[in-house]
């Protein structure tokens, strides 16, 4: 017999000495058939063994050549050998080798069902579902294992819908799945959310008696969980004869997924009672559940408890914690956990890196992000799609588009999200040209833009003002057959128009969506409701609310939250509360919407009650909640309680105070009359205060008459917002009041820009919104109403103008004409004379003192509620009162607050001016009757450098610098640092009285 060992370099055809098919002739007359058969079979087995050795050693080409040689000689290999060769292809993950074997399938001596099934499995496991499906379809006969092979392939690729479809075909052929195949089918049904199919499989399991298999019941539990049927999942779990670790993991996961973490913890403890020790996966499920619900502190305690039972947290544990803290707006703590993870030697995954980079993006912590970028590079994952996309987002949000582009260019593989991220970064940075170039390059490289890509480019054109090209591209999407515009495309149009402030066009797009029958989704509703959060859009909010009820969109908690907020901002807090009460489930955003709505309407007590209810129901406040809470305490002038909340934010709530909280504290102190503490609070602030804080201090300083503090706050505000002409006007007025004269062009600029400030108001009457500009009285229809309004102002108790000086955002009505809010009020009163509905007005500037008093009087005399929204806040006038408490009016009653004590002395007026928190300057005016003939206001400013008092009229913005009023200036600074406000005022009055008596005695001696 010839050796069957093939040479190393073997090429067909086979040598004639490979297999001897002609045995020597035996002289015996008896047949030797059995001997021949034995010899051939023995030789074939050796051939099979040799083929397997070639495959296993990686000499695949030689093996294929040997297989061809066998076929050339008409020999066969056994089906067992062939299937082993197919297994070698799977182990090598070589689809090419598998195809070569498939092409030589005729060499198999018995092409049975098992070989066909193995071919299908080989293709599926090597990642070629198309080949697997083709081989499957070509099979003349199929059994449960054949179906299992193709279903398993689709399952590995997460193509769940195809798995469900294959199951239906399988049943139609009369083949029922085995207990090994049922869990895969159930997993597919669960991931598709196909509840009816899950019920069908469940009935099959019951009829066929497969419920005795634990892994089948585990699959049923998981499928019901994914379909949202927690009760049915529990029924399956409760009726299981035996439960293993997987069973407990499935039910714990079910309750965590439903947000019932406490019940999941109870099951976790029950699991231990039944002597099933929780594994690392069980702990991770529970920890992740608490993190997803925002209860990160409990999750952190669970990690410590897990370490106490000698289980080491893995990368999934740390990633869950990092992700949970990042989603809970505790990004700093997320970064700390990531550092701790690295310190303990836990190797982060791509998900860990991407999660912590996202936290850096939120914090705009470019430095930390670059360090993590370096770590990802050393790990070799910086160029992966997941990490690369997150890094691009980080650099884009930090304004480092060059670094983002470098990450983009270095990525070895890009998906459509990669392109979209870079294009979005360019759009956010205002580099629309670069975004369009990248859009073209994306198509040139063969990457097909999706709807998001087109939406970004179309929005970019709108933001640059090229609406014509934007609409051209939008129409091109559908007509060119590129991609059909979907609801998100229309949503992006609405959002883009809202970003440029064109609400009318945004509503026009919204109407067109409805007319074309395009189904609105909850994103559409959230986007358009954002534009309705104004007083003159109350009817639009009700209209959209009706639509959400018809389409059952109101069941989404995000839509209900947005409706609460929009109703509040449109002046209807009652509707907000009604929607809140009807919501079956409420999250922290729901409570925030209601509480902030109460604060917006000046209902501070209701806001505090709602906060107590929120905490009683187990909801943890976030930074928005605490901001509204401080503002509520500000309205109530409860300084102590407000400061306690602010100082305990970091320790009790694990929230770092932001500039919005600091601004609210300044308002809290200013509204409560503690201006000195507000100034001290701002001076000690680190880092430097932002514009909102300086604006809050400016408001407090103006209300309390501290000219010096107002000038300081205004100057700092102008440094940060140099184009704010309103602030320039305020500061220029303050300079005149203080007697400071500036010769710099920078400070003279405000005086030249006052005429450019024009008030404008809008009011909703019927289904129309009407706009009015200050001084434009052109409608005779409501002229009589204005005459009536002007006549009733005589009944309004105004402060004595001889003792007050005001600074408004607009010129006095004698100069600019009738203010726009009065015109809007007159028009509405005339158009709705027989209505009792509230009047809703919006104004671009703050309401002035005159108009504020007029609105209060009209609300009382006419019995009409008036809502007026200005730059500062919402004013709700009712029965002669305003919800702002007269704090937020745009006016400076400089000397009504500055004059602590006034007394007449002969023909003079003696009054005091504060020069510091505890010091006062006594000024004696010797001509008390100097007033402006045009406005009737008394104006003056004290020059502390010389004994001069310059006269300036704040009523008509004219100055008489040549007119000098004689006066005596006596400085009498009293200091008592620990005195409260009441004692301080009494002390000053006593000091002034003593000073007047001393001056009187001096004059009598002189005479």
């Amino acid at each position: 017999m010839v050796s069957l060992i093939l040479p190393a370099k073997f090429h067909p055809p086979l040598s004639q000495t490979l297999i001897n098919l002609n045995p020597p002739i035996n002289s015996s007359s008896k047949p030797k058939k059995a001997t021949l058969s034995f010899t051939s079979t023995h030789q074939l087995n050796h051939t099979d063994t040799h083929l397997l050795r070639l495959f296993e050693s990686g000499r695949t080409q030689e093996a294929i050549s040997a297989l061809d040689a066998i076929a050339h000689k008409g020999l066969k290999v056994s089906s067992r050998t062939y299937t082993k060769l197919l297994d070698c292809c799977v182990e090598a993950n070589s689809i090419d080798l598998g195809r070569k074997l498939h092409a030589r399938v005729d060499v198999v001596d018995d092409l049975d069902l098992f070989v066909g099934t193995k071919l299908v499995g080989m293709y599926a496991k090597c990642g070629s579902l198309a080949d697997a499906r083709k081989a499957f379809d070509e099979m003349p006969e199929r059994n449960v294992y054949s179906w299992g092979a193709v279903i398993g392939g689709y399952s590995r690729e997460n193509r769940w819908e195809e798995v469900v479809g294959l199951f239906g075909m399988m049943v139609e052929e009369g083949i029922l799945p085995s207990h090994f195949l049922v869990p895969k089918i159930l997993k597919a049904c669960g991931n598709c959310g196909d509840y009816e199919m899950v019920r069908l499989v469940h009935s099959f399991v019951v009829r066929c008696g497969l419920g005795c298999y634990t892994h089948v019941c585990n699959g049923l539990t998981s499928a019901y969980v994914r379909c949202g049927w927690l009760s049915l999942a529990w029924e399956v779990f409760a009726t299981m004869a035996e439960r293993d670790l997987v069973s407990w993991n499935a039910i714990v996961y079910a309750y965590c997924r439903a947000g019932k973490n406490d019940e999941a913890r109870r099951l976790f403890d029950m699991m231990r009672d039944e002597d099933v020790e929780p594994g690392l996966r069980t702990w991770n499920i529970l920890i992740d559940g608490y993190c997803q619900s925002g209860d990160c502190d409990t999750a952190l305690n669970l990690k410590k408890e897990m370490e106490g039972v000698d289980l080491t947290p893995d990368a999934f544990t740390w990633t869950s914690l990092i992700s949970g803290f990042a989603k809970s707006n505790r990004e700093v703590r997320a970064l700390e956990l990531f550092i701790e993870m690295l310190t303990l030697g836990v190797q982060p995954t791509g998900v860990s890196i991407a999660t912590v980079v996202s936290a850096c993006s939120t914090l705009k912590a470019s430095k930390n992000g670059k360090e993590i970028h370096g770590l990802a590079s050393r790990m070799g994952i910086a160029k992966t799609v997941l990490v690369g996309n997150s890094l691009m987002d980080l650099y884009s949000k930090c304004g480092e588009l060059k670094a983002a582009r470098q990450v983009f260019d270095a990525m070895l593989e890009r998906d459509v999200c990669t392109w979209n991220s870079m294009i979005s970064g360019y759009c956010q940075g205002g580099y629309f040209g670069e975004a369009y170039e990248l859009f073209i390059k994306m198509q040139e490289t063969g990457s097909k833009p999706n709807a998001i890509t087109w939406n970004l480019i179309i929005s970019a054109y709108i933001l640059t003002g090229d609406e014509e090209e934007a609409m051209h591209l939008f129409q091109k999407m559908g007509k060119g057959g590129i991609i059909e515009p979907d609801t998100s495309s229309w949503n992006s149009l609405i959002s883009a128009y809202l970003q440029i402030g064109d609400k009318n066009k945004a509503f026009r797009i919204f109407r067109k969506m409805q007319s074309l029958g395009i189904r609105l989704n909850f994103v559409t509703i959230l986007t358009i409701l954002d534009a309705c959060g104004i007083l003159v859009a109350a009817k639009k909010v009700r209209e959209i609310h009706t639509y959400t009820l018809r389409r059952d969109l109101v069941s989404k908690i995000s839509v209900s939250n947005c409706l609460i907020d929009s109703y509040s901002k449109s002046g209807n807090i009652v509707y907000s509360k009604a929607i809140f009460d009807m919501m079956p489930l409420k999250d922290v955003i729901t409570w925030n919407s209601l509480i902030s709505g109460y604060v917006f309407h000046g209902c501070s007590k209701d806001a505090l009650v709602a906060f107590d209810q929120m905490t009683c129901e187990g909801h943890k406040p976030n930074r928005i909640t605490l901001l509204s809470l401080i503002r509520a305490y500000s309205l109530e002038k409860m300084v102590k309680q407000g400061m306690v909340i602010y100082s305990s934010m970091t320790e009790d709530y694990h929230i770092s105070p932001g500039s919005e909280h600091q601004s609210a504290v300044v308002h809290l102190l200013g509204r409560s009359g503690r201006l000195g503490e507000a100034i001290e609070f701002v001076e000690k602030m680190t880092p430097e205060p932002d514009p909102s804080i300086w604006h809050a201090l400016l408001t407090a300083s103006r209300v309390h008459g501290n000219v010096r503090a107002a000038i300081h706050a205004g100057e700092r505000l102008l440094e940060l917002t140099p184009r704010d002409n309103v602030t320039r006007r305020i500061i220029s007025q303050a300079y005149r009041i203080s007697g400071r004269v500036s010769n710099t062009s920078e400070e003279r600029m405000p005086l030249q820009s006052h005429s450019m400030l024009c008030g404008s108001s809008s009011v909703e009457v019927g289904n129309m919104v009407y706009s009015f500009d200050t001084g434009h009285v052109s409608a005779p229809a409501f002229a009589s109403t204005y005459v009536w309004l002007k006549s009733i102002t005589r009944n309004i108790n105004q402060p004595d103008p001889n003792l007050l000086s005001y600074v408004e955002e607009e010129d006095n009505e004698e100069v600019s004409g009738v203010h726009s809010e009065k015109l809007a009020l007159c028009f509405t009163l005339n158009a709705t004379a027989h209505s009792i509905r509230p009047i809703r007005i919006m104004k671009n500037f703050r309401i002035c003192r005159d108009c504020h008093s007029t609105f209060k009087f009209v609300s009382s005399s006419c019995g009409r509620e008036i809502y007026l929204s200005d730059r500062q806040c919402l004013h709700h006038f009712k029965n002669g009162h305003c919800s702002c408490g007269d704090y937020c009016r745009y006016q400076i009653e400089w000397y009504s607050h500055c004059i602590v004590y006034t007394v007449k002395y002969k023909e003079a007026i003696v009054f005091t001016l504060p020069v510091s928190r505890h010091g006062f300057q006594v000024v004696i005016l010797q001509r008390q009757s100097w007033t402006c003939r045009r406005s009737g206001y008394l104006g003056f400013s004290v020059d502390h450098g010389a004994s001069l008092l310059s006269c300036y009229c704040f009523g008509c913005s004219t100055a008489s610098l040549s007119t000098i009023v004689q006066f005596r200036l006596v400085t009498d600074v009293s200091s008592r640092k620990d005195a409260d406000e009441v004692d301080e005022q009494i002390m000053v009055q006593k000091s002034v009285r003593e000073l007047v008596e001393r001056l009187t005695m001096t004059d009598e001696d002189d005479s």
Side-chain angles (χ1 to χ4, degrees), residues 458-474:
I458 292 171
S459 299
Y461 274 111
I462 293 177
L463 295 175
T464 55
D466 194 350
E467 298 177 28
E468 184 178 348
E469 182 62 23
M471 298 312 298
H472 171 71
L473 284 174
F474 186 80

Side-chain angles (χ1 to χ4, degrees), residues 357-527:
V357 168
S358 297
C360 293
S361 301
T362 306
L363 293 171
K364 295 185 177 179
S366 175
K367 184 178 179 181
N368 298 106
K370 289 176 181 177
E371 293 175 354
I372 298 169
H373 186 178
L375 173 63
S377 298
R378 292 191 296 272
M379 292 174 59
I381 59 175
K383 298 179 181 180
T384 61
V385 172
L386 177 64
V387 177
N389 289 351
S390 63
L391 287 170
M392 286 165 53
D393 180 65
L394 164 71
Y395 289 126
S396 297
K397 288 183 178 177
C398 293
E400 299 184 24
L401 291 176
K402 185 177 179 180
R405 185 57 187 265
Q406 289 175 350
V407 173
F408 176 84
D409 293 336
M411 291 178 66
L412 302 175
E413 183 182 350
R414 304 186 187 104
D415 60 4
V416 67
C417 294
T418 310
W419 291 94
N420 289 348
S421 297
M422 194 67 245
I423 292 173
S424 176
Y426 278 131
C427 291
Q428 290 173 10
Y431 297 93
F432 301 111
E434 286 80 354
Y436 186 74
E437 289 178 4
L438 201 62
F439 173 68
I440 299 299
K441 184 178 179 181
M442 175 183 183
Q443 298 172 80
E444 292 174 350
T445 56
S447 297
K448 187 178 180 181
N450 60 6
I452 296 175
T453 321
W454 283 93
N455 296 345
L456 287 169
I457 296 300
I458 292 171
S459 299
Y461 274 111
I462 293 177
L463 295 175
T464 55
D466 194 350
E467 298 177 28
E468 184 178 348
E469 182 62 23
M471 298 312 298
H472 171 71
L473 284 174
F474 186 80
Q475 294 169 1
K476 182 181 176 182
M477 287 175 65
K479 292 181 179 179
I482 301 171
I483 185 169
E484 189 67 27
D486 57 6
T487 305
S488 68
S489 305
W490 291 88
N491 292 346
S492 65
L493 284 179
I494 296 173
S495 178
Y497 279 119
L498 290 178
Q499 287 183 57
I500 62 175
D502 199 336
K503 294 184 179 180
N504 291 330
K505 288 185 178 177
F507 277 109
R508 209 169 295 147
I509 296 294
F510 178 72
R511 298 290 186 206
K512 192 169 183 179
M513 288 181 69
Q514 293 178 301
S515 65
L516 293 175
I518 298 172
R519 191 175 185 87
L520 312 182
N521 59 18
F522 75 97
V523 178
T524 318
I525 300 302
L526 296 177
T527 305

Side-chain angles (χ1 to χ4, degrees), residues 132 227 231 279 300 334 370 376 396 442 468 578 645 693 703 795 818 854 864 916 966 988:
C227 291
S231 57
L300 205 57
K370 289 176 181 177
S396 297
M442 175 183 183
E468 184 178 348
I645 292 295
I693 298 170
V703 171
N795 301 321
V818 185
T854 301
R864 298 284 296 271
S916 66
Q966 301 296 323
V988 173

Side-chain angles (χ1 to χ4, degrees), residues 798-808 811-814 848-851 891-892 928-940 951-958 960:
Q798 297 284 8
D800 185 1
N802 292 327
L803 296 178
L804 299 178
S805 291
Y806 298 94
V807 172
E808 312 285 3
D811 288 326
N812 189 274
E813 286 190 352
E814 282 78 3
C848 72
R849 171 190 58 86
D850 249 3
C851 295
Q891 61 185 44
I892 306 178
Q928 57 176 313
S929 60
W930 191 92
T931 57
C932 177
R933 295 179 181 178
R934 187 172 181 181
S935 68
Y937 286 165
L938 171 67
F940 47 82
C951 296
Y952 176 81
C953 180
F954 298 96
C956 60
S957 300
T958 60
S960 300

Side-chain angles (χ1 to χ4, degrees), residues 233-360:
W234 171 254
E235 286 182 14
V236 173
F237 176 81
T239 56
M240 288 177 66
E242 293 183 5
R243 305 186 188 107
D244 58 9
L245 184 59
V246 178
S247 311
W248 286 99
N249 287 348
I251 197 64
V252 170
Y253 171 77
Y255 279 92
C256 286
R257 190 174 187 269
K260 299 182 178 182
N261 296 317
D262 293 337
E263 184 65 21
R265 180 58 196 262
R266 187 184 68 80
L267 288 168
F268 181 84
D269 295 334
M270 186 190 300
M271 173 182 182
R272 287 171 154 179
D273 294 339
E274 293 191 11
D275 295 329
V276 179
E277 190 61 31
L280 181 60
R281 178 172 174 79
T282 320
W283 286 94
N284 283 344
I285 290 171
L286 198 58
I287 289 172
D288 188 61
Y290 278 106
C291 287
Q292 292 296 326
S293 64
D295 193 356
C296 300
D297 294 318
T298 301
L300 205 57
N301 291 333
L302 279 171
K303 182 187 81 72
K304 295 177 182 177
E305 188 178 340
M306 178 176 70
E307 292 170 334
V309 294
D310 295 330
L311 276 178
T312 304
D314 62 357
F316 183 89
T317 316
W318 289 99
T319 303
S320 297
L321 290 168
I322 292 168
S323 176
F325 277 99
K327 289 179 181 178
S328 302
N329 298 319
R330 297 168 66 178
E331 292 84 4
V332 175
R333 184 67 178 122
L335 283 173
E336 292 173 351
L337 286 169
F338 181 74
I339 295 171
E340 186 179 348
M341 170 186 178
L342 297 178
T343 305
L344 293 174
V346 179
Q347 180 79 359
T349 62
V351 178
S352 311
I353 296 290
T355 303
V356 76
V357 168
S358 297
C360 293

Side-chain angles (χ1 to χ4, degrees), residues 143-155:
N143 61 11
V144 67
Y145 299 105
S146 309
W147 286 97
V150 72
I151 287 175
Y154 279 98
S155 297

